[in-house]
């Protein structure tokens, strides 16, 4: 049968997790709860940082950007999945699929770049504390974030445009809960060599290079801390504790991310569970990881929640 041109593609089918209608309400409630916690938790982090002048530092500037990227990252996949579960539909339009791929790559890439930038920030703070304010000036911080956004938008646009030139066969079923790039490429009838080459380059750009930068930063940090005399135990503990939250997030993000892309079959049940950890659970846990042991964030969150409760109380009295 002759391949059909991509212009005739109207929609893809996302199989998701369960074909059993009995499990659909459970899945809907579970993912809706995780999505709401993710959005609310990261939004509170952003509000706490922007409203407290004591948190207007490079570390918290990067953290607020990470929280925004996490909200957006989760929002590219979960809402569509919830709509499909609620409507008992598995379809996503061709344009919707390409758009979902594009923003998934944009915000996934931003997560990797921001985690790398935050590791560099910790490296400068611990290894060059006297020059920290000079090196991590507002201009450099803004530039690092802008460059990260530019690279993420650029490679995602190139990958999406390359997808648009492909022709697809009659099988448009994606055995996943979102439009996963590798799965979509397997459905193409035309030559995907250029797409795969770019995909491997992007994997190196977003996986190996940033991860190597994080490893280098923390190797230097560990070496610097270990050289501190044992008499300064409190300083050692404080130095390690400032990195603990970031290390936890890096381990969770890269651990689940590598689990997805090193899996032999991403569309398998195990592969999709790893994808949920990577795209839903990790962004949900980040606010808790950064706030549980951070007194500054806790204090700022208490102020924000106090203001919210005050406003809610005033509204109740008015109405």
């Amino acid at each position: 049968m002759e391949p059909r041109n991509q212009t005739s593609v109207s929609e893809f089918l996302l199989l998701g997790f369960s074909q059993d209608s009995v499990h659909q309400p459970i899945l809907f409630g579970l993912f809706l709860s995780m999505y709401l916690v993710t959005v609310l938790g990261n939004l509170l982090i952003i509000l706490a940082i922007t409203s407290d002048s004591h948190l207007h530092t490079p570390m918290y500037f990067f953290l607020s950007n990470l929280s925004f990227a996490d909200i957006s990252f989760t929002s590219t996949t979960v809402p569509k999945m919830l709509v499909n579960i609620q409507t008992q539909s598995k379809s996503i339009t061709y344009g919707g699929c390409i758009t979902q791929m594009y923003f998934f790559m944009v915000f996934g890439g931003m997560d990797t770049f921001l985690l790398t930038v935050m590791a560099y920030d910790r490296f400068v703070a611990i290894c060059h504390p006297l020059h920290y304010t000079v090196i991590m000036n507002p201009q450099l911080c803004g530039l690092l974030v802008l460059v990260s956004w530019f690279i993420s938008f650029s490679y995602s646009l190139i990958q999406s445009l390359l997808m648009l030139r492909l022709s697809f066969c009659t099988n448009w079923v994606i055995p996943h809960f979102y439009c996963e790039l590798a799965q979509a490429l397997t459905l193409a009838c035309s030559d995907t060599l250029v797409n795969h080459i770019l995909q491997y380059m992007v994997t190196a750009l977003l996986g190996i290079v940033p991860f190597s930068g994080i490893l280098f930063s923390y190797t230097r940090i560990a070496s610097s801390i270990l050289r501190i005399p044992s008499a300064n135990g409190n300083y050692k503990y404080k130095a390690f504790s400032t990195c603990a939250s970031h290390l936890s997030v890096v381990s969770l993000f890269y651990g689940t991310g590598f689990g997805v892309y090193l899996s032999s079959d991403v569309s398998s049940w195990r592969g999709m569970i790893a994808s949920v950890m990577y795209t839903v659970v990790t962004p949900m846990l980040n606010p808790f990881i950064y706030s549980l042991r951070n007194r500054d964030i806790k204090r700022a969150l208490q102020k924000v929640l106090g203001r919210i409760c005050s406003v809610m109380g005033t509204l109740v009295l008015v109405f």
Side-chain angles (χ1 to χ4, degrees), residues 240-257:
F240 273 118
S241 63
T242 59
C243 301
S245 298
H246 182 256
L247 273 174
S248 301
V249 172
V250 167
S251 302
L252 192 59
F253 182 82
Y254 276 97
T256 55

Side-chain angles (χ1 to χ4, degrees), residues 58 61 133-144:
F61 170 68
T133 54
V134 176
I135 297 174
M136 299 304 294
N137 57 74
Q139 291 77 20
L140 177 62
C141 294
L143 181 62
L144 289 172

Side-chain angles (χ1 to χ4, degrees), residues 211-231:
F211 189 65
S212 299
I214 292 172
L215 284 179
F216 173 79
S217 295
Y218 275 105
T219 300
R220 296 292 301 274
I221 288 171
S223 176
S224 178
I225 293 175
L226 291 174
R227 286 200 301 267
I228 298 173
S230 56

Side-chain angles (χ1 to χ4, degrees), residues 115-130:
L115 289 174
T116 306
V117 168
M118 292 170 78
Y120 175 70
D121 173 74
R122 292 298 84 205
F123 160 72
V124 175
I126 293 174
C127 298
H128 305 284
L130 298 179

Side-chain angles (χ1 to χ4, degrees), residues 102-285:
Y102 172 74
F103 285 107
F104 183 87
M105 289 185 286
V106 167
F107 297 118
M110 274 305 296
D111 269 2
T112 61
F113 288 131
L114 286 170
L115 289 174
T116 306
V117 168
M118 292 170 78
Y120 175 70
D121 173 74
R122 292 298 84 205
F123 160 72
V124 175
I126 293 174
C127 298
H128 305 284
L130 298 179
H131 300 94
Y132 178 75
T133 54
V134 176
I135 297 174
M136 299 304 294
N137 57 74
Q139 291 77 20
L140 177 62
C141 294
L143 181 62
L144 289 172
V145 172
L146 283 176
V147 169
S148 299
W149 280 113
F150 177 76
I151 295 174
S152 298
F153 278 119
S154 298
Y155 85 80
S156 300
L157 180 61
I158 295 171
Q159 189 71 275
S160 300
L161 291 175
L162 286 175
M163 282 294 298
L164 290 173
R165 72 179 182 83
L166 297 179
S167 299
F168 291 89
C169 302
T170 54
N171 179 21
W172 301 333
V173 177
I174 298 177
H176 218 299
F177 65 92
Y178 67 94
C179 284
E180 207 271 332
L181 176 64
Q183 291 294 319
L185 288 176
T186 62
L187 306 180
C189 294
S190 51
D191 184 22
T192 59
L193 177 61
V194 177
N195 298 75
H196 281 106
I197 291 174
L198 180 61
Q199 187 180 13
Y200 294 140
M201 291 173 62
V202 168
T203 300
L205 176 67
L206 300 184
I208 298 172
V209 174
F211 189 65
S212 299
I214 292 172
L215 284 179
F216 173 79
S217 295
Y218 275 105
T219 300
R220 296 292 301 274
I221 288 171
S223 176
S224 178
I225 293 175
L226 291 174
R227 286 200 301 267
I228 298 173
S230 56
N232 296 329
N234 289 335
Y235 181 78
K236 275 189 175 183
Y237 174 78
K238 186 177 180 180
F240 273 118
S241 63
T242 59
C243 301
S245 298
H246 182 256
L247 273 174
S248 301
V249 172
V250 167
S251 302
L252 192 59
F253 182 82
Y254 276 97
T256 55
F258 284 142
V260 171
Y261 291 102
L262 295 180
S263 175
S264 58
D265 185 7
V266 180
S267 63
S268 67
W269 179 259
R270 185 179 299 176
M272 282 197 285
I273 292 297
S275 296
V276 170
M277 293 294 296
Y278 174 60
T279 61
V280 183
V281 177
T282 300
M284 179 184 68
L285 293 180

